[in-house]
């Protein structure tokens, strides 16, 4: 079979008076032409045994040709619409007479040959209208000039065409298993596990097959070509996951599928000046595809809860780069587990534990009218995020580290919902107090700097001198010491930095002293203390606790000190 444009067909006809046949497929020439992609670019010639990609402008028909020389020739034609339905028709007409005179040695004029080929409609063999990948297959086709007419009435679109006279030996498209469906084997709030039967092309014919999964929230796709047309950036394929790890798109921070090249837009016409018009770029869509090798079970993770997703699977022959679609499926992820809302009581401290990356909801409904409401938050470990809504309106959104206090304007019969979001590093612990009484303060006030300073020049073999900042509010301060090994490091100290653990968790033998301290002049709110009775050359961990009027304590940052070994 030979695929050729009409003028090319006429030029290929030998200028000879002897009867000539159109050439059959020359395998060596064919392979050379397939390697040279420019040979078939923007051409109406369909090569035998190779897939071509082309473009249709809306309401502008396009015609392709190929020749079958001998009767009873097998024939297969596949048309793949990409992003719009197509109307296409395959027809055949008899080959024209090869010469005009006996022995004259002069060929017919080119215009007469062209008219002989193109003016006849031919016999229609097959027609189709839609966006499915459709086939015409015949085990015994007549000789003649075959015409493939295509039309898109909806919009400008891409499409692909494949034709061959050796369908049994070529088999470029992977074969589907007897059950080509994708099964959803497991469903969670953020994960979906898919399984499918392997392609016989891989399991029986041992050809190299890889599977590509497509995930989106709009609809299923019928071809990989349609997926590529829908994508708006050039980096459509992701790298295959590492062995043993499944795809985590949204390593997609969220399933909206982010891209490093989100600024790039895919234009259907790379060289639009050639056609005289441009196709406007499309907005980014929530669609992603990933090729995962030859495994046939896969878990997609980091999806959004209670969201419907569509999943498509394509088997791709890596030798031919041609693909076949499995029957797509869809699934809705499970709903987020409903959070139990904790009721806050006016003036009472509530302990809250939050899992890593988790969240907790609290509710505060004052029983009486109020002018102001105060929220005091003590984050025991890492910073947490607090959001406060009053009757659905967002009033506050802040990150809290240590002790923070927020005062908001009150409203009669108002209800407050507090959302606390934990740290990404690990679990979070905090204490929270809500009150409509301004004088009800269970948390002690803290200076901005809660470090303990040690004076190296005042260090001896049996004592160390330290200082820390206070506030204008009179509070009780207690200092504790604990001997630690010489290899005690900052990492161990960090693990013990739970600021919510009070003096009641310490041994009595570790207590150094307690004292009251404050200063009206904030610049002079500094106190020092010398800790005696220590051992030479030993390391100690020092902790200072400030205790508020309500008995709630907050720990300053721990300080590691070491006495001199020789004095």
């Amino acid at each position: 079979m030979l695929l050729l444009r009409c003028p090319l067909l006429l030029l290929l006809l030998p200028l000879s008076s002897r009867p000539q046949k159109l050439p059959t497929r020359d395998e060596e020439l064919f392979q050379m032409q397939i390697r040279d992609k420019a040979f078939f670019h923007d051409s109406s010639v369909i090569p035998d045994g190779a897939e071509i990609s082309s473009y249709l402008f809306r309401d502008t028909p396009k015609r392709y040709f190929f020749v079958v020389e001998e009767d009873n020739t097998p024939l297969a034609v596949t048309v793949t619409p990409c992003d719009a339905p197509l109307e296409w028709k395959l027809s055949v007409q008899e080959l024209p007479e090869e010469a005009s005179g006996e022995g004259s040695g002069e060929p017919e004029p080119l215009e007469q040959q062209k008219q002989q080929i193109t003016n006849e409609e031919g016999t229609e063999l097959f027609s189709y209208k839609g966006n499915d990948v459709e086939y015409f297959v015949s085990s015994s086709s007549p000789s003649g000039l075959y015409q493939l007419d295509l039309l898109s009435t909806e919009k400008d679109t891409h499409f692909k065409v494949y034709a061959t006279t050796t369908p049994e030996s070529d088999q470029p498209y992977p074969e589907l298993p007897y059950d080509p469906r994708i099964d959803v084997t497991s469903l969670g709030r953020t994960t979906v596990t898919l399984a499918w039967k392997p392609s016989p092309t891989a399991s029986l014919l041992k050809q190299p097959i890889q599977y590509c999964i497509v995930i989106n929230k709009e609809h299923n796709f019928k071809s990989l070509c349609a997926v590529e047309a829908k994508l708006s950036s050039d980096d459509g394929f992701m790298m295959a996951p590492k062995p043993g790890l499944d795809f985590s798109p949204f390593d997609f921070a969220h399933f909206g599928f982010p891209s490093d090249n989100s600024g790039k837009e895919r234009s259907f016409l790379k060289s639009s000046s050639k056609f005289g018009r441009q196709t406007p770029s499309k907005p980014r869509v929530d669609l992603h595809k990933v090729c995962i090798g030859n495994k046939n079970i896969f878990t997609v993770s980091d999806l959004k809860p209670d969201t419907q997703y569509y999943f498509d699977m394509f088997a791709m022959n890596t030798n031919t780069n041609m693909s076949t679609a499995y029957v797509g499926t869809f699934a809705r992820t499970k709903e987020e587990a409903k959070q139990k809302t904790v009721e806050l009581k006016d003036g009472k401290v509530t302990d809250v534990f939050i899992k890593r990356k988790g969240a907790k909801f609290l509710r505060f409904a004052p029983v009486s009218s109020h002018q102001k409401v105060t929220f005091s938050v003590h984050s025991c470990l890492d910073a947490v995020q607090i959001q406060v809504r009053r009757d659905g309106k967002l009033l506050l959104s802040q990150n809290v580290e240590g002790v923070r206090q927020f005062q908001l304007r009150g409203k009669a019969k108002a209800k407050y919902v507090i959302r606390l979001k934990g740290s990404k590093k690990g679990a979070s612990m905090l204490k929270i107090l809500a009150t409509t009484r301004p004088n009800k303060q269970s948390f002690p006030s803290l200076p901005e700097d809660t470090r303990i300073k040690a004076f190296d020049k005042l260090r001896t073999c049996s004592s160390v001198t330290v200082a820390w900042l206070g506030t204008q509010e009179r509070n009780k301060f207690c200092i504790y010491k604990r001997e630690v090994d010489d290899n005690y490091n900052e990492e161990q100290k960090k693990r013990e930095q739970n600021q919510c653990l009070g003096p009641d968790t310490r041994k009595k033998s570790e207590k150094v002293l307690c004292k009251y301290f404050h200063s009206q002049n904030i610049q002079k709110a500094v106190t020092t203390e010398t800790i005696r009775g220590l051992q030479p050359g030993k390391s100690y961990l020092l902790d200072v606790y400030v205790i508020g009027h309500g008995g709630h304590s907050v720990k300053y940052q721990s300080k590691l000190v070491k006495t001199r070994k020789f004095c």
Side-chain angles (χ1 to χ4, degrees):
M1 180 177 86
L2 182 68
L3 309 183
L4 42 149
R5 184 179 252 167
C6 285
L8 180 61
L9 174 64
L10 298 173
L11 291 173
L12 289 175
L13 291 173
L15 302 181
S16 168
S17 60
R18 292 181 300 166
Q20 299 287 336
K21 284 187 176 182
L22 291 172
T24 57
R25 167 165 152 180
D26 183 322
E27 195 63 31
E28 184 177 348
L29 176 62
F30 166 70
Q31 293 298 335
M32 179 199 72
Q33 293 168 346
I34 294 306
R35 286 192 297 270
D36 182 9
K37 298 298 182 183
F39 184 82
F40 295 111
H41 180 68
D42 192 30
S43 169
S44 294
V45 175
I46 302 180
D48 188 355
E51 187 180 62
I52 63 167
S53 299
S54 192
Y55 195 80
L56 274 175
F57 289 116
R58 188 183 66 179
D59 296 328
T60 304
K62 203 165 193 177
R63 174 172 289 180
Y64 289 86
F65 298 94
F66 59 89
V67 170
V68 174
E69 289 186 339
E70 301 175 358
D71 289 333
N72 304 316
T73 299
L75 177 63
V77 178
T78 303
V79 177
T80 304
C82 290
D83 54 341
L86 294 181
E87 297 179 22
W88 63 273
K89 177 180 70 174
L90 182 67
S91 57
V92 62
Q93 57 180 282
E94 291 183 3
L95 290 171
E97 294 294 330
E98 295 173 316
S100 59
E102 288 296 332
S104 65
E106 295 294 329
E108 289 185 347
L110 291 179
E111 281 303 314
Q112 281 186 270
Q113 291 188 5
K114 182 176 178 180
Q115 289 174 3
Q116 281 182 300
I117 296 173
T118 59
N119 287 350
E120 298 178 18
E121 284 300 319
T123 303
E124 182 177 315
L125 300 176
F126 183 80
S127 64
Y128 173 76
K129 181 179 181 180
N131 60 356
D132 284 325
V133 179
E134 194 55 70
Y135 313 86
F136 170 80
V137 179
S138 174
S139 59
S140 179
S141 297
S143 61
L145 177 68
Y146 285 74
Q147 295 177 185
L148 178 64
D149 296 287
L150 302 105
L151 177 68
S152 172
T153 59
E154 200 170 283
K155 61 178 181 177
D156 299 351
T157 182
H158 274 113
F159 66 92
K160 294 186 177 184
V161 175
Y162 173 79
T164 180
T165 53
T166 54
E168 290 298 322
S169 60
D170 284 1
Q171 295 186 344
Y173 295 99
E175 186 181 346
L176 290 177
Y178 68 91
D179 182 1
R181 295 173 297 180
I182 305 171
D183 295 320
V184 177
T185 60
S186 177
L187 193 62
R189 291 191 296 272
T190 60
T191 61
V192 173
T193 300
L194 307 171
W196 57 94
K197 293 177 176 59
S199 165
T201 305
S203 57
L204 298 179
L205 300 180
K206 306 301 181 183
Q207 291 191 28
I209 296 295
Q210 71 169 341
Y211 299 100
C212 297
I213 297 175
V214 174
I215 310 107
N216 80 105
K217 293 188 282 189
E218 293 183 3
H219 55 76
N220 288 111
F221 289 88
K222 297 181 178 180
S223 68
L224 203 52
C225 170
V227 174
E228 291 164 351
K230 188 73 173 176
L231 285 171
S232 59
S233 68
D234 294 330
D235 56 344
F237 277 95
M238 293 179 59
M239 295 297 291
K242 295 179 181 178
L245 295 178
D246 277 351
F247 174 50
S248 180
F250 317 31
D251 289 0
F252 320 119
H254 42 274
F255 185 71
F257 308 125
S259 168
D260 291 337
N261 298 322
S262 56
K264 295 181 181 180
E265 299 291 342
R266 179 189 297 272
S267 173
F268 284 138
L269 296 182
K270 294 293 183 182
S271 53
S272 54
S273 59
K274 177 176 180 178
F275 295 93
R277 54 171 152 170
Q278 293 184 349
T279 300
S281 60
K282 293 186 174 184
R284 182 80 174 169
V285 293
D286 274 353
L287 181 146
H288 214 90
K289 64 180 178 180
V290 56
C291 292
I292 59 170
N294 59 5
K295 62 180 179 178
N296 63 331
I297 185 168
F298 193 71
T299 298
V300 183
S301 60
D302 287 336
L303 305 177
K304 292 181 180 179
D306 193 27
T307 303
Q308 182 158 298
Y309 291 96
Y310 294 84
F311 303 95
D312 292 290
M313 175 63 58
F314 300 93
M316 176 181 287
N317 187 324
T318 56
N319 282 343
T320 64
N321 208 32
M322 295 163 75
S323 60
T324 305
Y326 279 66
V327 177
T329 189
F330 61 88
R332 177 174 288 274
T333 50
K334 291 183 178 180
E335 292 183 10
E336 191 78 77
K338 291 187 177 180
Q339 293 278 357
K340 182 180 178 181
T341 303
V342 178
E343 293 287 342
L344 296 179
K345 293 184 178 180
D346 198 330
K348 184 178 179 181
V349 176
T350 301
D351 294 309
V352 180
F353 176 80
I354 308 172
K355 294 180 180 178
R356 177 176 174 267
K357 294 185 178 180
K360 283 287 178 70
F361 290 88
L362 302 92
R363 183 174 176 270
F364 180 53
V367 295
S368 58
S369 60
H370 54 284
Q371 291 184 335
K372 293 182 179 179
V373 61
T374 302
F375 293 95
S376 300
V377 181
H378 181 192
S379 176
C380 306
L381 300 171
D382 295 313
V384 296
Q385 184 190 62
I386 179 173
Q387 287 185 345
V388 179
R389 295 178 184 272
R390 184 183 64 202
D391 300 330
K393 182 180 179 181
L394 182 66
L395 302 180
L396 172 70
S397 181
Q398 290 276 336
N399 287 328
V400 175
E401 196 166 6
V403 176
R404 290 287 300 276
Q405 191 176 91
F406 306 98
Q407 197 169 74
L408 305 175
R409 183 177 296 177
K411 186 179 180 182
K413 298 181 180 179
K415 293 180 177 58
Y416 301 85
V417 174
I418 303 97
R419 180 180 184 267
L420 299 168
K421 186 176 181 182
S423 168
K424 295 180 180 179
K425 299 177 182 177
S428 301
M429 296 172 59
L430 58 95
K431 294 177 181 289
I432 184 169
L433 176 142
T435 182
T436 57
R437 293 168 284 177
N439 296 328
K440 183 71 174 179
Q441 301 297 331
S442 291
F443 295 102
S445 59
L446 288 176
E448 289 186 5
D449 190 346
T450 60
R451 293 176 298 174
I452 303 171
K453 177 177 174 59
F455 297 95
D456 186 64
K457 290 183 179 180
L458 300 178
R459 186 167 54 102
T460 71
C461 291
S462 61
S463 68
V464 293
T465 300
V466 294
W468 63 90
L469 298 178
T471 65
Q472 294 173 316
E473 180 183 330
R474 187 172 184 269
N475 285 316
K476 182 180 179 181
F477 293 87
C478 294
I479 186 165
Y480 284 73
K481 70 176 184 346
R482 177 165 63 92
E483 186 178 334
V484 294
D485 295 333
D486 288 340
N487 59 0
Y488 189 88
N489 54 38
E490 289 296 321
E491 187 62 32
Q492 289 173 285
K493 188 174 75 172
K494 186 176 180 181
R495 288 199 297 266
E496 297 177 4
Q497 284 288 24
N498 185 342
Q499 291 188 346
C500 294
L501 294 178
D504 55 324
T505 63
R506 304 296 295 262
K507 296 177 181 179
K508 288 184 179 181
S509 60
E510 295 176 349
K511 183 177 179 180
V512 176
L513 59 86
C514 290
K515 68 178 183 179
Y516 286 90
F517 164 71
H518 79 290
S519 175
Q520 293 300 324
N521 185 347
I522 195 65
Q523 303 297 328
K524 295 182 179 180
V526 181
T527 185
T528 61
E529 196 65 45
T530 298
I531 302 163
R532 306 179 191 280
L534 306 179
Q535 298 297 317
K538 297 293 184 181
S539 296
Y540 294 88
L541 192 68
L542 304 182
D543 289 307
V544 171
Y545 298 88
V546 54
I547 303 169
H549 301 303
H552 184 76
S553 64
V554 178
K555 184 163 72 76
Y556 277 45
Q557 297 179 41
S558 300
K559 181 65 177 180
L560 186 64
V561 297
K562 188 174 183 178
T563 56
R564 294 187 186 277
K565 192 170 184 179
F566 303 103
C567 294

